Amino acid sequence: MTTLTESPARPLTRTYSRWTSLVVLCAGALMTILDGNIVTVAMPAVQSDLGFSGPGLAWVVNAYLIPFGGLLLLAGRLGDLVGRKRMFTSGLALFTVASVLCGVATSQGMLIAARALQGVGGAMTSAVVLGMVVALFPEPGERARAIAVFSAVGAAGGALGTFLGGALTEALNWHWIFLINLPIGVVAWLAALRFLAPDEGAGLGRGADYPGAALVTGALMLTVYTIIGSGDLGSSTVAVLALVALALFAGFAVRQARAARPLLGLRLFRSRLLTGANAVQVLMIATMYGFQFIGALYVQRVLGYGELATGTAFLPAPVVIGVLMLGLSARTIGRFGAYRVLLAGLVLIVVGMALLGRAPADGSYAVDVLPPMLLLAVGFAAAMPALTGLAMSGAREEDTGLASGLFNTTQVVGGSLGLAVLSTLAAGHSEGLLDGGASAVAATAGGYQLAFRVAAVIAAGALVLAAVVLRERGGRAGKG
């Protein structure tokens, strides 16, 4: 993976503007992040048009997230071999083509297959970005600001996708949430060719751990399938599938310990700070991604908002996230330390999710959605840059690129598993309430309440884990 000693940071500062390069990298990452979330508000329209079942609808999102998360490590390694710029631009091209295929999809199978192809392109694009950002800015103060900008783009982009999804779906139709990527992708691809400095990879002769990639990708896909299908599959089938997934993960660990050039060297996990930060991120992102998905459905199906109104309702979140991350994040972390800022952010996330767990069937946006959403936005704006800085500071220089690939991977794994668990819990509880005689709206609201409460518990787990695991080193590493 990319290392600081091998990075193009120094020649890049002479020939290219580092901040211009950062803008290009953020633009490419933004497109993939937007598309990971832009489908959320359009889900009811997609379901109605293509006839998805409730649990099956989650695969419109998971079909993207699973290859994305499963292939990030392999894509990052291939970026080292063939060149990071080449991997980035190739991923943009594939993502754009796949977006067009999603836009013209007329069946469930075609849409899911095209979404999976999007996931492959997104992995190719995203795998090298964070490592390139870190390598571009070796000085701690500039790096903190660059990470804040990158984190703001990622976090705000996720929420902004909800607004754009609603606007495009209501003004045109759901197909355009994908077709809009064609002009954006072409512009981003041309900008990357023009402004990113070329780099030479180590060459494909160095090899990549393809068996390891196959094992971890298969394990992730099977895990999410098992969680989503747990309501329809028998308990014995779920148990067998879970054991197979565990066996694949174990096989991946054995492979990494023995491979000459492992996809994910196990030495990386010797860093308590890096390992702990990634574990905290899985739980935190599971919570936040669950909110984006379940929250949008609550506003639509319980409060009765249309697609555009739903997107507009979520617009305050990216505004708050962007303003706080860009204006205060680096300075706040510099003053109080990443550890304290992370804990404060996680506390706000727990409180916000707990408040959403009280959202009733006869609730209102101003009382039951907006206040907790703002708490979540402030909490995430504080926690994410702090957590990113802690994770990357826990890696040695020669492992910086590998650490960035791992951090991106756990982010996607957390989002995918959070969506799978929370959507399955919500659907199952709603069905139980319907069978018990509750009205459709009351049953739907009850299912979402359970999902929000479970998300609050998950966020509390992230808070406890961060407080215990990151305490000693995190308090020192976060300052300065």
Side-chain angles (χ1 to χ4, degrees):
M1 304 290 287
T2 308
T3 66
L4 289 177
T5 55
E6 299 171 341
S7 81
R10 290 182 176 82
L12 190 61
T13 59
R14 293 196 297 265
T15 310
Y16 296 82
S17 165
R18 291 180 299 157
W19 290 98
T20 300
S21 298
L22 177 64
V23 170
V24 174
L25 291 173
C26 288
L30 177 62
M31 189 171 72
T32 60
I33 293 167
L34 280 174
D35 217 74
N37 295 274
I38 201 170
V39 300
T40 303
V41 179
M43 295 287 259
V46 174
Q47 183 176 24
S48 175
D49 191 18
L50 299 183
F52 279 99
S53 65
L57 186 62
W59 276 102
V60 177
V61 176
N62 282 321
Y64 174 85
L65 287 176
I66 297 307
F68 183 90
L71 292 173
L72 274 169
L73 293 175
L74 177 61
R77 173 59 179 160
L78 289 176
D80 288 338
L81 299 179
V82 304
R84 294 180 298 276
K85 178 179 179 179
R86 184 175 300 169
M87 179 60 65
F88 183 80
T89 54
S90 297
L92 280 178
L94 179 60
F95 186 90
T96 303
V97 171
S99 296
V100 174
L101 294 177
C102 288
V104 299
T106 56
S107 67
Q108 295 181 16
M110 184 177 178
L111 178 59
I112 289 176
R115 287 285 285 166
L117 191 61
Q118 269 191 317
V120 176
M124 294 169 64
T125 301
S126 302
V128 295
V129 172
L130 184 55
M132 293 173 75
V133 171
V134 170
L136 280 169
F137 300 92
E139 193 274 321
E142 281 194 329
R143 178 181 295 181
R145 289 191 292 272
I147 287 178
V149 170
F150 182 76
S151 298
V153 168
L160 186 60
T162 305
F163 170 75
L164 293 177
L168 290 171
T169 301
E170 188 158 310
L172 300 169
N173 57 58
W174 67 263
H175 297 274
W176 283 94
I177 66 175
F178 300 111
L179 294 176
I180 193 65
N181 286 334
L182 178 59
I184 297 174
V186 170
V187 171
W189 182 73
L190 291 174
L193 291 178
R194 170 66 179 84
F195 293 109
L196 294 184
D199 61 306
E200 294 296 329
L204 285 174
R206 292 285 300 275
D209 185 19
Y210 301 108
L215 285 169
V216 72
T217 302
L220 291 170
M221 293 182 68
L222 186 58
T223 298
V224 176
Y225 171 78
T226 303
I227 294 172
I228 291 177
S230 60
D232 299 322
L233 301 171
S235 58
S236 59
T237 303
V238 170
V240 170
L241 292 176
L243 288 174
V244 173
L246 287 174
L248 289 173
F249 278 121
F252 173 70
V254 171
R255 170 70 187 179
Q256 300 315 288
R258 297 181 177 179
R261 298 185 180 91
L263 182 67
L264 180 61
L266 298 182
R267 73 180 185 281
L268 201 66
F269 295 102
R270 295 173 186 167
S271 168
R272 183 186 183 199
L273 186 60
L274 177 64
T275 303
N278 276 278
V280 170
Q281 180 176 230
V282 169
L283 299 178
M284 185 179 75
I285 296 298
T287 300
M288 295 302 298
Y289 208 94
F291 159 70
Q292 288 183 351
F293 183 78
I294 303 296
L297 292 179
Y298 173 82
V299 170
Q300 285 183 288
R301 294 179 173 176
V302 176
L303 301 186
Y305 282 35
E307 288 89 353
L308 180 57
T310 300
T312 304
F314 278 79
L315 197 55
V319 173
V320 170
I321 290 171
V323 169
L324 292 180
M325 281 190 176
L326 295 176
L328 298 175
S329 177
R331 284 181 291 176
T332 304
I333 291 173
R335 180 175 180 181
F336 297 103
Y339 172 71
R340 294 184 180 88
V341 174
L342 171 62
L343 294 188
L346 289 172
V347 168
L348 293 177
I349 290 174
V350 172
V351 174
M353 291 307 306
L355 290 176
L356 281 170
R358 302 172 61 251
D362 58 349
S364 69
Y365 170 76
V367 174
D368 300 298
V369 178
L370 182 59
M373 180 174 67
L374 293 178
L375 285 176
L376 291 172
V378 174
F380 192 72
M384 192 61 194
L387 190 61
T388 303
L390 287 170
M392 298 308 294
S393 67
R396 299 179 300 181
E397 286 192 1
E398 60 268 28
D399 290 330
T400 301
L402 185 59
S404 71
L406 176 63
F407 196 72
N408 282 324
T409 300
T410 56
Q411 187 174 110
V412 177
V413 169
S416 180
L417 293 181
L419 173 60
V421 170
L422 296 177
S423 63
T424 301
L425 285 175
H429 191 56
S430 294
E431 289 179 6
L433 292 174
L434 279 174
D435 292 341
S439 66
V441 173
T444 301
Y448 296 156
Q449 283 181 340
L450 176 63
F452 290 139
R453 290 167 184 169
V454 172
V457 173
I458 295 173
L463 174 61
V464 172
L465 183 63
V468 173
V469 176
L470 304 180
R471 177 175 54 193
E472 182 180 357
R473 289 186 60 190
R476 294 200 299 265
K479 283 191 174 185

